[in-house]
Amino acid sequence: MYLLVSVVAVAFGLTAAARLARHRLAGPALARLGRRTLPVYVIHMPVLALLDRLLAAPVGGLGGPARALLVTVYPVLLTALVLALSLAAHRGLTALGAHWLFDLPRRRAHSNPEGETMPRIDAPVLPDRTHVEEAARVLSGRVVRTPVLHSPAIDRLAGARILLKAENLQDGGSYKMRGAMLAVGRLAAAGHTGVVAQSTGNHAVAVALAARRHGLAATVVLPEDAAPVKVDRARAAGARVVRAGTTVEERLAVARRIAEVESHPLVDAYDHPDVVAGQGSASLELIEEAARRGTPLDALVVPVGGGGGIAGACLAAAGTPIEVYGVEPVGCDSLARSLAAGRPTPVAPAPSLADGLRPGCVGDLPFAVARTGVRGVVRVDDDAIAEAFRLLLLDLKVLVEPSGAAGLAGALRLGEPAGPVGVGGAGPAAGHGDVGGTPWPSDGGRRKTVGVVLTGGNVEADLVARLAGDRMTAGVAA
């Protein structure tokens, strides 16, 4: 009889839990409760058995008033001891690295056609252009619709009309604010009370600002060598800043541990559909503005770090004749190598002025989008990035960080008669070592129009002085 009752009770509990998990309000609350109580559930039985062995005999030997008092107090005392000891054991085990004891079940990671496992995204559902359009609607009035700039001097250098989307003027100083606002806003609506993020800087700043706007707590993990201006901006936005190593793997390990302990979701810097769609809204605005001016884009150039921005650009340009190009620093060319290999391929990032473009590997989700949407990738060195930085600063009077200036450096490199150094992603050059000849020749007398996303403007004052000073020194020497 007792066995039957137990089986029915378990079945009822599982059914009720499954139904409640689908409820819009109750589901997230119960999930948070479950994550917080999981350590007690895992550990409490050995602790209870130990306490029973230690206390049962002394308690059983009591008599009179003491025994009557313990009848009331003993269950409460035992429960408190079990909870305290279970949580203490959990902290000790996690400090020793035994996180696997408390990991929730995960779905099987998907594999690529070559059979290699891609663990970061489980069978991703790829976003499309409608997701970018919806992101633009949701973000309207919540982020800055940044201006599109134009310089005849830059046009002459590029051999094309260059339209520059000034996302350095965005809230938080970068287009990362778009993806962060979309992702954090949806998590807040789902009932979450906090978020965790890791990045080299701009994504962390954006998540901190988005969390503050939605009343959520934020913890951001930054590298030990993060730019001080980005660390200061994240703290000023109210985030708890944790410093961890210098590689994305080190930051991710710390961020995931914090997310598990605090039961807050991790907002990935690029392997997240809302982040990709949000970043894509910047490219969509640029495409729309170019069409409104009567100069529709022929090409779109976006700097590449983890790939969220380039993937968003591909989605924004989908269904149009616009060719999308990525730009990577020399030695930090994971996307270029991934397109050539047909799968996400890590690199050991080389030193670069563009600190925001140095993830060790393009994200699985961005790669899945970019592999069919990118016309090619161009590599640029620090000299080219510095020259683009100076052009923007001295000609347009716009302050852009080197990672953002890399987009213009790539557009200028693409227009050189010798042709770019890059890797084809889609179209005629797919699979070849070069994108192909100069893609900006006039078309029946019409000058090509190229859009460039200036992705951010969070730059150190001493770096600005050094890069601008190099130009002044060169002018004096000449």
Side-chain angles (χ1 to χ4, degrees):
M1 183 61 182
Y2 288 121
L3 177 61
L4 178 61
V5 170
S6 297
V7 170
V8 171
V10 170
F12 174 80
L14 291 173
T15 303
R19 289 186 176 276
L20 284 170
R22 299 190 188 103
H23 192 276
R24 186 172 64 87
L25 296 177
L30 289 173
R32 288 197 302 274
L33 178 63
R35 286 190 294 267
R36 290 184 181 279
T37 57
L38 181 62
V40 176
Y41 177 79
V42 171
I43 298 173
H44 81 281
M45 285 304 295
V47 174
L48 184 59
L50 178 63
L51 288 174
D52 180 69
R53 184 171 184 83
L54 293 174
L55 299 176
V59 169
L62 295 174
R67 185 178 182 85
L69 178 63
L70 278 174
V71 168
T72 304
V73 175
Y74 185 68
V76 178
L77 176 64
L78 190 61
T79 300
L81 285 172
V82 168
L83 288 173
L85 291 174
S86 296
L87 293 174
H90 170 251
R91 285 194 294 271
L93 288 167
T94 53
L96 293 173
H99 302 281
W100 56 270
L101 281 171
F102 311 100
D103 283 342
L104 294 173
R106 301 181 187 274
R107 289 179 292 175
R108 182 174 60 85
H110 71 284
S111 298
N112 66 14
E114 287 75 21
E116 293 193 3
T117 300
M118 299 179 185
R120 280 184 286 175
I121 294 290
D122 291 326
V125 177
L126 296 184
D128 56 28
R129 195 174 199 269
T130 62
H131 291 87
V132 177
E133 294 169 340
E134 174 62 20
R137 285 192 291 271
V138 171
L139 294 172
S140 179
R142 300 183 182 183
V143 298
V144 177
R145 189 178 179 97
T146 53
V148 174
L149 309 177
H150 175 243
S151 163
I154 292 175
D155 286 358
R156 288 193 293 272
L157 287 171
R161 180 184 292 105
I162 304 294
L163 298 181
L164 302 152
K165 180 68 167 168
E167 284 294 298
N168 55 306
L169 304 178
Q170 185 58 257
D171 290 341
S174 82
Y175 78 153
K176 295 286 189 178
M177 191 66 187
R178 296 172 177 271
M181 278 295 290
L182 189 64
V184 174
R186 289 186 173 165
L187 291 172
H192 291 279
T193 59
V195 290
V196 180
Q198 69 78 26
S199 80
T200 55
N202 282 339
H203 176 69
V205 172
V207 168
L209 285 168
R212 184 172 68 181
R213 288 192 189 180
H214 288 96
L216 274 60
T219 300
V220 298
V221 182
L222 295 170
E224 295 287 355
D225 57 355
V229 66
K230 297 178 181 179
V231 177
D232 292 342
R233 295 198 76 164
R235 287 200 175 109
R240 174 166 64 107
V241 175
V242 177
R243 310 290 284 274
T246 57
T247 67
V248 65
E249 291 79 11
E250 290 170 312
R251 296 195 304 275
L252 270 174
V254 173
R256 286 170 176 159
R257 186 157 60 247
I258 293 171
E260 290 175 0
V261 170
E262 298 187 354
S263 299
H264 291 161
L266 177 64
V267 181
D268 197 276
Y270 36 85
D271 251 338
H272 193 297
D274 286 339
V275 169
V276 169
Q279 257 73 299
S281 67
S283 293
L284 183 63
E285 288 180 9
L286 177 52
I287 292 169
E288 292 173 345
E289 176 64 17
R292 188 188 67 78
R293 295 184 181 190
T295 55
L297 295 186
D298 298 290
L300 184 57
V301 181
V302 182
V304 180
I310 192 73
C314 290
L315 297 178
T320 76
I322 299 170
E323 294 182 336
V324 179
Y325 292 87
V327 181
E328 293 182 302
V330 171
C332 306
D333 53 349
S334 175
L335 178 58
R337 298 188 189 204
S338 298
L339 291 172
R343 61 183 182 274
T345 302
V347 297
S352 172
L353 282 174
D355 65 297
L357 306 182
R358 300 182 66 246
C361 188
V362 65
D364 297 338
L365 177 57
F367 176 76
V369 173
R371 69 185 304 174
T372 57
V374 170
R375 172 65 175 82
V377 179
V378 98
R379 301 176 179 95
V380 293
D381 59 22
D382 277 359
D383 288 343
I385 293 172
E387 184 57 33
F389 171 90
R390 287 190 287 266
L391 268 174
L392 292 165
L393 181 64
L394 301 177
D395 186 67
L396 278 172
K397 309 302 185 285
V398 170
L399 181 61
V400 177
E401 63 186 277
S403 297
L408 176 57
L412 295 173
R413 179 77 178 94
L414 281 163
E416 291 178 0
V421 178
V423 177
H432 296 284
D434 293 324
V435 173
T438 305
W440 313 148
S442 62
D443 183 5
R446 183 180 72 84
R447 174 179 278 190
K448 294 278 188 178
T449 302
V450 180
V452 177
V453 181
L454 304 176
T455 51
N458 293 318
V459 58
E460 294 294 317
D462 59 347
L463 181 57
V464 174
R466 177 162 64 86
L467 293 178
D470 288 346
R471 177 64 171 268
M472 305 302 180
T473 302
V476 171

